[in-house]
Amino acid sequence: NITSLKNIEFTGDNSVCRGGTLCAGSEIKLKTVGSTAGVNTILKVPKTGRILADKAYNNTIFCFGDRQVMLEESAKNVEVYIDKTGEITIDKFNL
C-alpha cells in the first residue's frame, strides 16, 4: 500500500505494481499495473485526478472520490479520468 499527498509516479522502464492499493492526492503514473492472473490492484485519486498506465491488466480498479470502475480487459496506453459529463472515462488500446 502506498499513499501520497501529491503524485505517485513509477519511472523505471520495468516497474510493476501488482496487488495492493495506491492512493494519490492528484495523479498516478505507472508502467505496468496488475498481472495476467487478474490480481486486484486498486488505484485511488480525487475526482479531479488522473491515472495513467503504459499497460494495465484486467481486474485493476480505478477510484475517483467515491466512484470506481474495474478494467474488464487488459489494455495499453491507459488514461482514466472523469469527463465533462461526470462519468469515469477509460481511454485505452486493447492488448
Side-chain angles (χ1 to χ4, degrees), residues 6-88:
K6 293 186 180 182
N7 297 339
I8 296 174
E9 184 172 357
F10 287 34
T11 57
D13 288 337
N14 296 321
S15 60
V16 177
C17 177
R18 290 196 172 105
T21 303
L22 277 65
C23 299
S26 181
E27 186 174 78
I28 299 175
K29 289 184 181 181
L30 305 161
K31 296 297 182 185
T32 302
V33 60
S35 72
T36 55
V39 173
N40 272 0
T41 307
I42 302 168
L43 308 174
K44 295 181 179 183
V45 294
K47 291 180 183 179
T48 58
R50 276 186 133 45
I51 301 171
L52 300 104
D54 290 352
K55 187 184 297 182
Y57 289 98
N58 60 310
N59 289 339
T60 300
I61 299 171
F62 304 100
C63 302
F64 292 83
D66 59 351
R67 303 181 65 201
Q68 68 180 30
V69 64
M70 180 185 291
L71 186 63
E72 300 291 332
E73 293 182 36
S74 299
K76 62 182 178 179
N77 299 332
V78 178
E79 183 174 1
V80 190
Y81 55 93
I82 293 192
D83 65 18
K84 294 176 184 176
T85 65
E87 297 297 316
I88 297 175

